[in-house]
Amino acid sequence: MTTRKKYKVFSIVGARPNFVKVAPVSKALAETGEFEEIIVHTGQHYDYLLSEAFFHELEIPAPKYNLEIGSGRQAWQLGKMIAGIDAVIEKECPDAIVVFGDTNSTAAGAIAGAKNNIPVAHVEAGLREFNKSIPEEVNKLLTTASTDLYFCPTPTGVSNLAKIGITENVHLVGDVGIDLIFNNLEIIEAIKLGGDLKLPPNLIAGQYFFVTCHRAANTEDPEMLQEILSTLEALPLPYILPLHPRTKRAIETFGLPMPTGAIAPTGFFETQALIRNARMVITDSGGIIKEAYFHKTPGIIIDKQTEWVETVEEGWSVVAGPDKKRILEAVEAKSGGDFNSPPELPHSNCLGDGTASQKIVSIISHYLHSNKQHNHHA
Ligand code: UD1
């Protein structure tokens, strides 16, 4: 009996949101028995709580390579990552490269793949914020330009790609981050505030805000950051803010008072439990907005736009911008004047049904079988 050689697939990761997305895909790749997955970590995130903790908690296979690029200017970091990934491609000759989301590590993996004529699969393809001053938007554009297989989480992703003439190898599969929550709901629901979670005593389920803030636009300008932080102190309920090291450093550098609700960065399941139990979330993170939608927790977006437009269309989130007056007005509007009543809004589960990763893996397998890549870049 002959055994067919496994496809060698690179999963390129580097930052926290990449880890959350690779976890379910990695599991789905392993389940087929068809793939040898090699995880390449760029080293974009290196703090234990932003990186290694997620590998342990989400049982992600250890990276075979860690390029240890670390922090730095955007273009410098991207360039170093491309060169590092290129060297590993040369050594391992993968059959395909999978990249996730819109971080610098995502764009670097996609560019290195395209330059080596290796099929690139992009998980979370087609999303746009239509503002090139956002570092993630540049990554989205660079990644789209270098991708062969597009895995869109939402219909908006598909239509954004169609608008620029990309209709082939585009698949609407749902969101892999939602897979992870779906498949671990029991763990998340079992986490008790005040029990497993060592939180301030004033946090009562359904009676607090869950807040995150780390986008470049919100942390690089002292006035903007001060406006956001002072808004938090004016909220009508207590809040909790797991602090990204970038935001912590900005607060210290600008000499701003440390927010009263600040805590250390939280793990994935803990974060989900905190979102699920919150009355509302206030965030500039796309990941948190879609997770809040899943948990039916209303979200206020402290950014000027969002790529998760479906959550806004269904009324679960609202774009308020980093503006005190608009944030407080949005909080008031979303509370319905009564913080005790749960939100009553339609909810279509438009971000997927927990099977995105399996769909992705089966499409990659089919694509590699049919050798479509030979026609690519012809
Ligand atoms: C990156 C992603 C962003 C994602 C976020 C999640 C890009 C352009 N941005 O942003 O989309 O939402 O990750 O966390 O890829 N730092 C540490 N320890 C670390 C890593 C970073 O202290 O382990 C600090 C450094 O001061 C660094 C700063 O955070 O300069 C920014 O790090 P960087 O990876 O450039 O971007 P993030 O803000 O983390």
Side-chain angles (χ1 to χ4, degrees):
M1 202 179 85
T2 54
T3 43
R4 207 171 50 75
K5 204 174 136 280
K6 288 186 179 187
Y7 291 121
K8 193 186 270 191
V9 170
F10 272 15
S11 291
I12 311 281
V13 297
R16 188 169 55 179
N18 303 140
F19 309 140
V20 170
K21 287 164 202 148
V22 78
V25 174
S26 191
K27 196 160 165 260
L29 282 168
E31 274 164 7
T32 66
E34 270 190 275
F35 298 93
E36 178 199 349
E37 184 198 25
I38 294 180
I39 297 189
V40 180
H41 189 322
T42 62
Q44 178 176 349
H45 282 177
Y46 41 86
D47 279 0
Y48 178 82
L49 289 179
L50 292 194
S51 178
E52 213 180 317
F54 285 83
F55 281 80
H56 291 309
E57 183 182 22
L58 304 178
E59 296 174 345
I60 305 167
K64 183 167 176 185
Y65 298 92
N66 188 325
L67 307 176
E68 296 182 353
I69 306 294
S71 303
R73 289 169 56 80
Q74 293 280 320
W76 173 90
Q77 191 186 49
L78 187 65
K80 292 282 278 188
M81 286 177 185
I82 295 171
I85 296 165
D86 186 55
V88 187
I89 290 175
E90 194 181 14
K91 183 163 175 224
E92 294 276 1
C93 301
D95 297 299
I97 291 188
V98 189
V99 297
F100 306 84
D102 59 8
T103 69
N104 289 351
S105 302
T106 314
I111 294 168
K115 284 290 183 190
N116 283 284
N117 214 11
I118 293 165
V120 174
H122 182 203
V123 175
E124 203 177 275
L127 301 186
R128 292 289 183 271
E129 296 176 81
F130 302 105
N131 177 350
K132 248 177 67 188
S133 71
I134 302 170
E136 288 83 356
E137 179 74 354
V138 178
N139 292 335
K140 288 174 165 89
L141 295 167
L142 293 170
T143 306
T144 292
S146 307
T147 289
D148 300 279
L149 272 171
Y150 304 86
F151 294 114
C152 301
T154 56
T156 302
V158 177
S159 72
N160 284 338
L161 292 174
K163 280 182 200 148
I164 53 167
I166 299 175
T167 52
E168 244 187 89
N169 293 318
V170 175
H171 302 274
L172 177 61
V173 291
D175 183 72
V176 295
I178 299 298
D179 290 3
L180 192 59
I181 305 177
F182 246 101
N183 298 328
N184 291 287
L185 212 44
E186 272 179 29
I187 299 177
I188 295 162
E189 280 176 332
I191 298 174
K192 297 279 169 269
L193 296 187
D196 316 78
L197 293 182
K198 304 275 172 287
L199 298 176
N202 61 348
L203 281 199
I204 303 166
Q207 294 291 309
Y208 67 91
F209 294 89
F210 178 80
V211 185
T212 74
C213 172
H214 70 264
R215 286 274 201 149
N218 286 341
T219 53
E220 281 173 359
D221 175 350
E223 279 174 25
M224 191 87 87
L225 186 56
Q226 185 173 29
E227 168 122 355
I228 294 168
L229 298 183
S230 80
T231 308
L232 301 182
E233 305 305 331
L235 289 170
L237 294 174
Y239 72 92
I240 190 155
L241 167 69
L243 208 52
H244 191 291
R246 174 189 193 120
T247 315
K248 183 164 183 275
R249 199 191 52 185
I251 289 169
E252 286 162 0
T253 310
F254 302 148
L256 299 172
M258 197 45 77
T260 53
I263 57 167
T266 42
F268 183 76
F269 297 138
E270 207 178 357
T271 303
Q272 298 311 310
L274 284 168
I275 295 173
R276 199 170 173 85
N277 284 292
R279 182 61 183 81
M280 263 178 235
V281 307
I282 299 177
T283 186
D284 58 7
S285 154
I288 302 285
I289 272 302
K290 68 183 180 194
E291 289 159 4
Y293 171 85
F294 176 88
H295 293 298
K296 299 189 178 162
T297 301
I300 316 286
I301 302 169
I302 45 173
D303 212 340
K304 292 180 181 140
Q305 62 282 302
T306 183
E307 66 265 57
W308 300 98
V309 290
E310 282 82 356
T311 69
V312 177
E313 282 163 7
E314 287 194 20
W316 285 94
S317 39
V318 57
V319 177
D323 176 307
K324 186 172 192 167
K325 189 163 165 284
R326 288 185 56 203
I327 296 170
L328 294 176
E329 279 169 6
V331 164
E332 183 59 31
K334 284 274 165 240
S335 76
D338 174 6
F339 283 98
N340 292 316
S341 323
E344 281 182 31
L345 289 164
H347 192 283
S348 72
N349 264 328
C350 66
L351 299 180
D353 60 2
T355 60
S357 308
Q358 274 100 338
K359 288 180 187 140
I360 287 169
V361 168
S362 130
I363 295 166
I364 293 175
S365 161
H366 188 260
Y367 182 87
L368 292 176
H369 274 303
S370 60
N371 270 335
K372 279 193 185 152
Q373 74 271 26
H374 289 319
N375 300 326
H376 192 73
H377 303 306

